[in-house]
Amino acid sequence: MGGRQEASGPGGGCGGAGVSARALESSYGQGPLTRRILECFLGRALKKVEGDQRRRRGEASVGGGGAGASAHVLRHACRGEGRAGGVLTPPPRTHRPGVACLCQASGFTARREACIPGGQACACHPFLFLLEPGFQQFKVAERLHANWIRLYLESSNSEVLVSLGAKVRRQYLDTLRTLSLSLSRQVAHYDAYSMAVGTVVVLEVLVLLLLSIPQALSSEAELDVPLSSPVFSLLFYLTSLALLGLHVMVCTSAGRSCYFCSLPWPAAGVVMLLVSALLCVVASALAKTFLDGKLLRKSPAGSGSRWSELELLILLGTVGHVVSLGASSFIEEEHQTWYFLVNTLCLALCHQVYKNCFPGPDRGLQCCPHMADVCDCVAATLQGRKPGGDGAELWGTHESPASLATRPGHEKWVLLASPWLILACCRLLRPLNQTGVQWAHRPDLGHWLTSSDRKAELSVLAALSLVVLFALVQRRCSRASKIAMALGLLGVYCYRAALGNVLLPWRQGSKDISQGIVEARFVYVFVLGILFTGTRDLLRSQVTTADPKVRAAGLWELHSGLVLLAALLLRPHNLPVLVLGLLIQTVMARCIWKPLRHDAAEVTIMHYWFGQAFFYFQGNSNNVATVDVSAGFVGLSTYVEVPAVFLTAFATYTGPVLWASHLVNFLSSESSSGSALRHACFCYALICSLPVSAYLVLVTSLRYHLFIWSVFSPKLLYEGMHLLITAAVCAFFTAMDQTNTKSQPSSQDPGK
C-alpha cells in the first residue's frame, strides 16, 4: 500500500481516466492510505466520468477544480454504478419521502448542495461527509494551520504570524459551530410548531394573571374576565382566520410529522379558537387597565410608600429564582437556591420581630419620587390590597403589630427566639439527605442511619419521631381521630419493622421479615377513616349547619389524614423531615404570622417557599433517579397502575402538599374576611405559574443545549407534575371558598 498505483485502463480494478485521483487526494487529504482507499473505491466510477462529463457538465459542476469532480464522482457512486471491478459500493439507504436526494436510484438532480437535501447531509454513502460544509471548513482551517506552521518555522514576520494565527483560530471556531449545528439538526428533530403553540397558550394565561392582580387582590377579590365582548369582536374572527390559515400552511408544507398537525381538524380548530380568545381577552384587559388609569392614577399614599424587607425579599427572591432557571448548574443545584431563600426569609422575619418588639425610628426604604406610583402598586399587591384603597385584611382588626412591645417579657423572648428556632430546624435537615449533583456522592446522615449496623439508632429515631408527630397533630383532632391516629402511627412502625428497617424489642433477628402488606393495609384503613371524618364535617358545615368550628375541624382532619399517609410512605430516616415540618408550621402560626399580622399574600408565598424547600429536604432533586418508586408498592402485592402513580406522586411531593394543606387550615381558622382564601388561591396560582412559564420559554430556546436531555428535560417533567398538583390545590381552595361564603369563620387560636 506504500507504492503509487496509476490507472490501469478500462479493465483495471483501481484507476480510471478523465479525473485523476490526485485531485481527491489534494482536496481531502494526503498519504498513501487515503489515496489507496479513494482509488480502489472510485476506480470504475472515475472511468464513467470521462464518458458523461460533457453531457452532464451543468449538473455536475458544484464547484471548480477537484471539488467539482469529487462531487460528480460521489454522485455516480451514490447511484451504485460500476459494481464490477472491485468497486465497494454499498446499497443506498432509505430516505424520507418527498425529499430530493442525489443518492436515490432514480438518478441525480441538479442542485448546488449536492447530497445535502434541505441543508442536511445525505447519509447514504460512507464518503458523503466530504461534502459537508463543516468538513470543508475544517480542511480550509487545516490548510491555514499548515501555512502558519510553515511561516513559523521560517521565522517570518511576527505581525503576519499573529494575524494568520487569529484567522486560523477563527476558522476553527466557525468549523466547530457549523459541525455542532449540523450534528444537532441531524440527531434531534423537534416539533417546533407544537412547542410554539403550547408556549403561546401558557404565556397568554400568565399575562392574563399578571393583568388581573389589582382585581384579584382587591377587597372584593373578584376576577372579572371579559369574555363576551372579545369573542364577538372583529379582532377575534380575524385572528382566528389568520391562525387557521397558518395552521393549514404549516401542516401542508411540513416535511416531518407534527403532533399538532396529526390532530383531527375540529380539535385543532378548537385550539386555534382558544388561542384567539385568550389573545383578545388579554388585549381587552390591557386596554381596560390603561384606559381606566388604574396603573397611572396617583395613589393617595403613593408619595409615602415604603418597602419592607419582607416585601423586597419576596419580590427579589421570586424573580431571582425564575432567572436562575436559565442555567443548567442552577437547575442541578436548585435546592441551594431554596435553602438560601428560606434562610434569608428567617433572618428577615427575625429583623421584623425585633423591630416590633423594640420599636424605634422608622427606617423603611423610601421609593424614588418618580417611581412612587409603581412602588405603591407593587407594594399593595404584596400586601394583598388594591392600590389606593383599603383591601381586605387577613385579620379582623387593623391593629398594628407594634403592640408586641407591650407584651410580657417571656412572651417577647419567645417571639424573638422563634425565627432562630426555625433556622436551626432547617440547618438540621440539610445534612440529612445530600441531593443535587455536585455533593450527592458525599455521605450524609441518611446513609449513616440506613446502614445495616445502625438499626438501633434508626429505630429510636423513628419511634421518637412518631411520638412527636402524634403530639403535634392530635391537638385539634376529635377523640375518634386521636385514637385512629395513634393506632395508625403504631401500624407505621410495625410496617417498617416487618420490612426489617427498624427493630422490635420482642423480635430478634430477621427471620420474620415480610413484605408488610397486612401492616400497610392496616394503616390505610385508619387513613381512610380520618379522611372520611374530615369530609363528613366539611359537608355538614356546608349543608346542615353553618358552624365555622365544624368546618375548621373537618379541614384539620383532612390535614391529619395526609400526615398519617406521609408517615407511612416516607422512608424511616425521613420521618424527622415530617416532624420538623409540622413543628415549623406550628411555630410560624403561633409566633410569627399571627403576632405580626401578615396578610394572605405574604402567608401564601411563605408557605410556597417552605413547601419547595421541604421538597428538597426529603432528598428529591431535578433528577428522575431520585424518585422513590418503592412508595408506589406500599401495601400492594402486585403492580396496580392508578394507586402506584398516586402514592409515588404523593410521596415525592409530600412537602408542597402538606404546606398547601396547612395554608388552607390557617387561613380558614384565622381570617375574618371571606376574600382571604381567594387571595391565597390567586397568589398560589401566580407564584407557581411564573417559573413554569419562564421555564417553557427557556427550554424551547435551549432545545439544542448540550444538557437538554440530562438536565432541562427532567426538570420540565417535575414542573409539569408540580403544575398538576398546583391545579388540584387551587381547586381545593375554590371549594373551600365556596363553603366559606355560607359560613364566615370566626377567629380561633391555631394552637387549640
Side-chain angles (χ1 to χ4, degrees):
M1 296 180 65
R4 298 175 54 187
Q5 293 186 2
E6 302 293 340
S8 58
C14 295
V19 179
S20 175
R22 295 177 182 178
L24 298 176
E25 182 180 350
S26 61
S27 300
Y28 300 109
Q30 298 179 358
L33 180 60
T34 304
R35 179 178 175 82
R36 179 63 178 173
I37 292 175
L38 291 174
E39 287 180 351
C40 292
F41 191 81
L42 302 175
R44 295 296 297 271
L46 290 174
K47 179 180 177 296
K48 185 67 176 178
V49 169
E50 186 178 10
D52 297 340
Q53 189 173 15
R54 183 172 301 177
R55 181 170 55 88
R56 298 174 179 174
R57 185 185 303 274
E59 297 175 346
S61 58
V62 177
S70 304
H72 189 67
V73 168
L74 290 176
R75 285 194 182 97
H76 286 277
C78 287
R79 292 179 60 189
E81 298 184 6
R83 298 178 182 175
V87 180
L88 306 176
T89 306
R93 302 177 187 173
T94 57
H95 301 279
R96 290 180 283 109
V99 179
C101 180
L102 297 175
C103 304
Q104 292 177 349
S106 59
F108 55 87
T109 307
R111 298 184 59 174
R112 297 193 59 84
E113 59 268 28
C115 284
I116 310 174
Q120 298 182 2
C122 174
C124 70
H125 200 278
F127 283 109
L128 286 181
F129 72 93
L130 301 178
L131 298 179
E132 278 286 343
F135 183 78
Q136 295 177 1
Q137 291 183 9
F138 170 72
K139 301 307 295 184
V140 173
E142 200 175 37
R143 286 194 294 268
L144 290 176
H145 196 179
N147 294 335
W148 182 87
I149 293 176
R150 186 175 61 256
L151 291 176
Y152 178 79
L153 294 176
E154 294 176 357
S155 301
S156 183
N157 189 5
S158 60
E159 295 182 358
V160 177
L161 285 175
V162 172
S163 176
L164 186 58
K167 185 177 181 180
V168 172
R169 179 178 178 273
R170 213 165 34 245
Q171 185 67 26
Y172 274 124
L173 292 178
D174 294 341
T175 301
L176 288 176
R177 280 192 291 268
T178 305
L179 290 174
S180 176
L181 183 60
S182 177
L183 181 62
S184 300
R185 289 178 175 176
Q186 291 182 29
V187 173
H189 300 289
Y190 294 99
D191 190 358
Y193 180 52
S194 302
M195 294 170 65
V197 172
T199 304
V200 168
V201 173
V202 172
L203 291 180
E204 286 178 343
V205 174
L206 176 63
V207 173
L208 183 60
L209 288 176
L210 292 175
L211 293 176
S212 305
I213 288 178
Q215 298 179 5
L217 296 183
S218 62
S219 58
E220 295 82 8
E222 294 180 355
L223 182 59
D224 184 17
V225 179
L227 292 177
S228 58
S229 57
V231 169
F232 294 100
S233 64
L234 180 62
L235 177 62
F236 171 73
Y237 292 107
L238 292 178
T239 307
S240 301
L241 290 177
L243 291 178
L244 289 174
L246 178 63
H247 178 71
V248 172
M249 182 179 64
V250 172
C251 293
T252 54
S253 61
R256 291 188 296 267
S257 61
C258 174
Y259 171 76
F260 193 56
C261 294
S262 63
L263 293 177
W265 285 100
V270 170
V271 174
M272 290 302 173
L273 293 178
L274 175 63
V275 174
S276 304
L278 287 175
L279 180 61
C280 294
V281 168
V282 169
S284 177
L286 188 62
K288 182 179 179 181
T289 300
F290 281 98
L291 289 178
D292 293 346
K294 292 181 180 179
L295 296 179
L296 303 178
R297 184 173 58 246
K298 185 174 180 61
S299 174
S303 59
S305 297
R306 293 179 180 272
W307 286 66
S308 66
E309 293 84 355
L310 187 61
E311 293 169 351
L312 279 176
L313 175 62
I314 289 174
L315 179 62
L316 296 179
T318 303
V319 174
H321 171 253
V322 172
V323 173
S324 69
L325 295 178
S328 59
S329 299
F330 278 93
I331 294 177
E332 291 175 342
E333 307 294 331
E334 189 181 359
H335 60 284
Q336 302 288 354
T337 302
W338 289 112
Y339 294 167
F340 172 78
L341 290 178
V342 168
N343 293 339
T344 310
L345 177 62
C346 293
L347 294 178
L349 293 174
C350 182
H351 184 244
Q352 191 176 14
V353 172
Y354 175 81
K355 287 197 308 181
N356 287 281
C357 289
F358 304 100
D362 192 6
R363 294 186 295 269
L365 298 178
Q366 183 71 33
C367 294
C368 299
H370 63 279
M371 292 292 292
D373 294 336
V374 180
C375 287
D376 181 69
C377 179
V378 178
T381 299
L382 293 175
Q383 295 171 2
R385 55 181 173 83
K386 190 175 180 179
D390 295 333
E393 298 289 340
L394 176 60
W395 314 98
T397 62
H398 296 275
E399 180 184 357
S400 174
S403 60
L404 296 179
T406 61
R407 293 200 174 192
H410 66 281
E411 294 185 5
K412 185 185 300 184
W413 290 110
V414 168
L415 296 179
L416 289 173
S418 57
W420 296 102
L421 176 61
I422 298 171
L423 195 62
C425 292
C426 294
R427 187 63 188 90
L428 290 175
L429 290 175
R430 289 189 63 176
L432 185 60
N433 294 295
Q434 290 287 355
T435 183
V437 175
Q438 189 172 0
W439 293 284
H441 64 281
R442 294 186 178 181
D444 50 25
L445 187 58
H447 288 87
W448 184 82
L449 288 172
T450 54
S451 59
S452 58
D453 55 343
R454 301 294 178 183
K455 282 189 178 182
E457 292 83 351
L458 181 61
S459 301
V460 173
L461 180 63
L464 290 177
S465 300
L466 293 176
V467 171
V468 177
L469 196 66
F470 176 75
L472 292 173
V473 174
Q474 58 84 31
R475 52 194 174 92
R476 293 173 58 183
C477 291
S478 61
R479 185 182 300 273
S481 297
K482 289 180 181 179
I483 297 175
M485 178 63 66
L487 295 177
L489 294 176
L490 181 61
V492 170
Y493 190 87
C494 294
Y495 167 71
R496 290 299 171 183
L499 294 180
N501 300 130
V502 296
L503 300 176
L504 287 175
W506 57 85
R507 188 179 67 183
Q508 300 295 332
S510 58
K511 60 181 180 179
D512 295 332
I513 293 179
S514 63
Q515 296 182 357
I517 296 178
V518 177
E519 292 83 354
R521 293 178 179 177
F522 178 77
V523 179
Y524 282 144
V525 171
F526 292 109
V527 170
L528 294 177
I530 295 175
L531 293 177
F532 174 78
T533 303
T535 306
R536 183 197 60 187
D537 293 340
L538 288 178
L539 293 177
R540 189 174 63 178
S541 65
Q542 185 176 7
V543 178
T544 60
T545 180
D547 189 2
K549 294 183 179 180
V550 177
R551 179 171 173 270
L555 288 175
W556 188 258
E557 298 282 354
L558 293 178
H559 182 67
S560 303
L562 295 178
V563 170
L564 180 57
L565 180 60
L568 175 65
L569 299 180
L570 292 180
R571 297 294 181 98
H573 71 277
N574 272 336
L575 288 176
V577 178
L578 185 60
V579 172
L580 292 180
L582 294 178
L583 180 61
I584 291 175
Q585 291 175 0
T586 305
V587 173
M588 294 279 283
R590 290 186 176 183
C591 303
I592 293 181
W593 293 326
K594 186 176 181 180
L596 296 179
R597 298 189 177 276
H598 288 110
D599 50 75
E602 293 176 347
V603 172
T604 302
I605 296 176
M606 291 184 202
H607 275 84
Y608 175 78
W609 282 18
F610 274 99
Q612 291 298 107
F614 272 84
F615 173 80
Y616 295 101
F617 282 146
Q618 294 176 224
N620 295 317
S621 68
N622 290 323
N623 190 353
V624 184
T626 57
V627 177
D628 186 13
V629 296
S630 64
F633 296 89
V634 175
L636 301 177
S637 57
T638 58
Y639 175 74
V640 185
E641 184 176 359
V642 176
V645 171
F646 172 76
L647 295 176
T648 304
F650 181 79
T652 305
Y653 291 92
T654 296
V657 170
L658 290 183
W659 277 89
S661 175
H662 183 268
L663 175 62
V664 178
N665 279 274
F666 180 77
L667 294 179
S668 299
S669 60
E670 295 296 335
S671 63
S672 60
S673 173
S675 61
L677 283 175
R678 277 169 277 178
H679 288 172
C681 180
F682 180 82
C683 291
Y684 202 87
L686 181 61
I687 200 68
C688 293
S689 301
L690 281 173
V692 173
S693 304
Y695 193 70
L696 282 177
V697 177
L698 289 172
V699 169
T700 304
S701 59
L702 298 175
R703 60 186 181 274
Y704 293 113
H705 195 277
L706 181 62
F707 299 138
I708 184 64
W709 294 111
S710 60
V711 177
F712 290 97
S713 295
K715 173 63 178 175
L716 187 61
L717 293 177
Y718 276 103
E719 289 294 336
M721 191 64 198
H722 190 204
L723 194 62
L724 292 178
I725 294 178
T726 302
V729 170
C730 292
F732 186 65
F733 271 103
T734 305
M736 293 302 100
D737 180 68
Q738 295 297 326
T739 306
N740 194 32
T741 56
K742 296 186 177 182
S743 59
Q744 293 294 333
S746 61
S747 179
Q748 296 178 357
D749 186 6
K752 293 181 181 180

